[in-house]
Amino acid sequence: MSDNWYRNEVWNSEIEREFFSKLSRARSQRDQYIVIQALSLAKVEPKVALTLIDLYFSSKKTDFDDLRALMAKVDALAALGDRKGAVEAKKAILNLEKKKKSQRSNEFVDYPFYVAMESISEE
């Protein structure tokens, strides 16, 4: 595990133990560490990423990282082949952007592209 203990691109029991050990000592950036780790694992360990996202949403102190957490959720669900879940997460990003004008992503382009590429006719 490197100095960036919250950017692991692989996951095993030793890394998990070390991650949560360091996370338990984190104070001001705890939410950010969870989200960055989820983003780093979303495509290679999507179930772990989804668990981290659930942890983030159940324990977050602010909503500052909500957008990036939802982006990690999209990637993880897509990696699992859950097209419906990925679409719902994409819609959640678009709704968040409507409410919080300061938070922006490329989802306004990515959402219709994903729907077209996946041939999701109901969308």
Side-chain angles (χ1 to χ4, degrees):
M1 187 173 290
S2 70
D3 290 338
N4 289 328
W5 56 269
Y6 49 89
R7 293 183 189 273
N8 297 290
E9 295 178 358
V10 295
W11 197 256
N12 58 43
S13 58
E14 181 182 336
I15 292 171
E16 179 179 14
R17 188 172 41 256
E18 185 72 17
F19 174 79
F20 283 107
S21 173
K22 289 188 178 195
L23 185 66
S24 70
R25 295 188 299 271
R27 296 291 173 245
S28 62
Q29 295 178 313
R30 181 182 183 278
D31 295 346
Q32 183 180 17
Y33 294 145
I34 295 169
V35 172
I36 291 171
Q37 184 59 78
L39 283 164
S40 298
L41 293 173
K43 293 179 181 175
V44 294
E45 292 285 349
K47 289 180 181 179
V48 174
L50 290 172
T51 300
L52 291 169
I53 295 307
D54 288 344
L55 173 63
Y56 165 77
F57 280 113
S58 68
S59 66
K60 66 182 182 161
K61 303 288 188 237
T62 70
D63 58 1
F64 182 78
D65 289 298
D66 285 4
L67 181 67
R68 291 188 313 157
L70 289 170
M71 292 168 75
K73 187 173 184 176
V74 166
D75 287 346
L77 291 169
L80 290 170
D82 183 353
R83 296 180 339 155
K84 182 178 179 184
V87 165
E88 292 305 313
K90 286 176 171 289
K91 287 179 180 179
I93 290 171
L94 293 171
N95 287 331
L96 178 66
E97 290 178 346
K98 283 181 189 175
K99 292 177 189 173
K100 297 190 173 267
K101 301 296 183 192
S102 63
Q103 295 194 10
R104 290 285 171 244
S105 70
N106 289 329
E107 202 57 54
F108 69 96
V109 173
D110 293 344
Y111 171 74
F113 182 77
Y114 181 80
V115 167
M117 292 305 294
E118 294 293 321
S119 302
I120 305 173
S121 59
E122 57 273 10
E123 289 298 317

